[in-house]
Amino acid sequence: MKHNVQEALLKEANQIASQCDRCGSCRLVCPLFGVNDIESASARGKNNIARSLAMGGLEPTPEVTAAVNFCLLCRACVENCPSKVKTDEAMIAVRQHLADYQGGTSVKYKFLGTMLKTRVLVKIAAGAMGAMRKTGIHRIIPRGMVPAAFTRQQFLSAFAGPATLGEAAAVSATPVSTQAKVAYFYGCGMRMMFPEAAADTLAILRSLTQPQLVDNVCCGLPHLAHGLRKDFLELAKENIRLYEDCDVVVSDCASCSSTLKHIASYFADDHEWRERALKFSQKVMDLTEYLVKAGYHPRQRITAKMTFHEPCHLGRGQGIKKQPRELLQAAGDYIEMAGADTCCGGAGSFPMDFPAVSDQVLAKKQAAIEETAAQIVVTECPVCLSQMTKAAEQSGGKFRAMHISQVI
């Protein structure tokens, strides 16, 4: 049975990779190829790896595993590919195949997967990170894993004096905000790294509706990305059950909302869960997607110049581009940055796995932010926000980083 599953995964990857006509368009947009100019870093190179594994031309060696893991899964290649080859999905399948072939994923990913799969451990980790920030110990934790936070209170005291504060926004009368049973999805990253931003999200939601608070589990993206598909499916089923009575599920984490919207595709052949998964995926909304539909207006205009870093899982993962920008334009002086949708080098555990490359990718993003002369860079993903916070610190105070719920 295990062998059959492995073969099915390779077949799935090969079907995708075989659509690649090797034109090389992906090399022009891949953030990683732009760093080292190595063919295996590009989508073309990775599709060649998938085909070679499927046809027996490559053995599943540690070197092959490293090449497959050297991917941000940012979908820049997919968006710019003439044939729209879904290289990211092929790489997820290959990663799972390699993990199964090697008897499981690495100890690091197993530990991370177990921690994120367990509610209690996530809450303990969130408490520990909060204590680190209060005592200042977070500064010695490497790779920005416990990032500092620029809170809304600090933001308003710096950029929104009494003269700039407007009246509170009127509660929306649109059906989506007054009739739908809206529930909040509390992502692990938001809980552990930016709980203050999550609290601001809930304050916004409460100005429109009475959001249901559900003790949800992880969206499963870290598990899916690192060869723990069985855990991903278990988590997906639990979240489907937990939100069955809700009409709308809102997440302020782009990675979570993107993953939850795509859950249905993983149950397409499961007769027991197919319909339930489809109904669940269809009611998931990104925060800004929901707010625009609900007719929300920012709570005040502020004096700060703002720019936006578009998370890969928001723009390319969900096609949500105009909504966050509309809200930011209504909140203050908005400036579009060049390459706003270019990956920041975050991508889950990538900064831990490939720190030097992640730093090089982030340096390009930092330069783009500084070019706008914006005082605030806004984003909607905790991993991206962690990266933006790191860039802000490296900028020497030229700008600060915030989650979009903290500025609108």
Side-chain angles (χ1 to χ4, degrees), residues 21-30 42-44 76-77 80-82:
D21 62 9
R22 309 179 192 184
C23 69
S25 297
C26 54
R27 297 177 9 143
L28 301 175
V29 297
C30 175
S42 70
R44 183 171 71 177
C77 56
N80 290 274
C81 174

Side-chain angles (χ1 to χ4, degrees), residues 126-173:
M129 288 186 180
M132 288 179 187
R133 280 188 285 268
K134 288 180 181 179
T135 59
I137 298 177
H138 70 282
R139 296 187 181 90
I140 66 174
I141 306 298
R143 312 307 318 158
M145 292 175 61
V146 186
F150 188 51
T151 67
R152 177 170 174 77
Q153 183 178 5
Q154 293 171 316
F155 169 68
L156 291 178
S157 65
F159 299 111
T164 64
L165 290 174
E167 295 181 359
V171 176
S172 172

Side-chain angles (χ1 to χ4, degrees), residues 46-76:
K46 286 182 168 57
N47 284 324
N48 284 336
I49 290 173
R51 281 194 294 255
S52 296
L53 282 170
M55 294 186 293
L58 270 182
E59 292 295 322
T61 63
E63 291 76 17
V64 169
T65 299
V68 170
N69 286 336
F70 190 68
C71 179
L72 294 163
L73 301 176
C74 70
R75 291 179 61 87

Side-chain angles (χ1 to χ4, degrees), residues 386-400:
S386 179
Q387 288 285 91
M388 295 302 102
T389 301
K390 190 189 305 181
E393 293 172 351
Q394 293 171 354
S395 77
K398 292 180 181 178
F399 61 89
R400 307 298 295 265

Side-chain angles (χ1 to χ4, degrees), residues 43-289:
R44 183 171 71 177
K46 286 182 168 57
N47 284 324
N48 284 336
I49 290 173
R51 281 194 294 255
S52 296
L53 282 170
M55 294 186 293
L58 270 182
E59 292 295 322
T61 63
E63 291 76 17
V64 169
T65 299
V68 170
N69 286 336
F70 190 68
C71 179
L72 294 163
L73 301 176
C74 70
R75 291 179 61 87
C77 56
V78 180
E79 186 175 78
N80 290 274
C81 174
S83 302
K84 302 301 179 190
V85 179
K86 299 178 181 178
T87 303
D88 60 319
E89 295 183 11
M91 289 306 99
I92 288 176
V94 172
R95 287 181 183 183
Q96 185 65 52
H97 162 76
L98 293 172
D100 293 344
Y101 181 88
Q102 295 162 0
T105 189
S106 69
V107 173
K108 174 176 60 179
Y109 294 140
K110 285 180 180 177
F111 172 79
L112 180 64
T114 299
M115 192 272 286
L116 294 177
K117 189 180 177 182
T118 309
R119 289 184 179 92
V120 173
L121 294 180
V122 171
K123 292 175 182 178
I124 290 174
M129 288 186 180
M132 288 179 187
R133 280 188 285 268
K134 288 180 181 179
T135 59
I137 298 177
H138 70 282
R139 296 187 181 90
I140 66 174
I141 306 298
R143 312 307 318 158
M145 292 175 61
V146 186
F150 188 51
T151 67
R152 177 170 174 77
Q153 183 178 5
Q154 293 171 316
F155 169 68
L156 291 178
S157 65
F159 299 111
T164 64
L165 290 174
E167 295 181 359
V171 176
S172 172
T174 56
V176 70
S177 64
T178 59
Q179 297 177 8
K181 295 179 181 178
V182 179
Y184 175 58
F185 186 90
Y186 202 174
C188 302
M190 294 299 290
R191 185 190 296 271
M192 293 188 293
M193 295 190 288
F194 300 103
E196 296 90 354
D200 286 320
T201 295
L202 282 172
I204 292 172
L205 292 177
R206 285 176 178 136
S207 74
L208 298 168
T209 185
Q210 293 296 323
Q212 298 180 28
L213 301 182
V214 177
D215 191 16
N216 59 275
V217 293
C218 179
C219 71
L221 178 58
H223 307 80
L224 182 63
H226 295 299
L228 296 166
R229 187 174 295 212
K230 181 180 178 182
D231 288 344
F232 164 74
L233 295 175
E234 290 178 4
L235 291 165
K237 290 177 181 178
E238 179 65 8
N239 281 321
I240 291 170
R241 282 191 289 260
L242 288 170
Y243 289 95
E244 210 129 33
D245 293 333
C246 304
D247 299 317
V248 179
V249 180
V250 177
S251 175
D252 51 3
C253 168
S255 296
C256 288
S257 53
S258 178
T259 302
L260 298 176
K261 286 181 179 182
H262 288 88
I263 276 179
S265 64
Y266 293 92
F267 292 94
D269 298 324
D270 188 321
H271 296 296
E272 180 183 353
W273 285 92
R274 181 171 54 203
E275 289 301 319
R276 294 172 72 181
L278 181 60
K279 288 180 181 179
F280 173 77
S281 287
Q282 289 176 338
K283 61 188 176 184
V284 175
M285 289 189 190
D286 159 72
L287 174 64
T288 61
E289 176 186 14

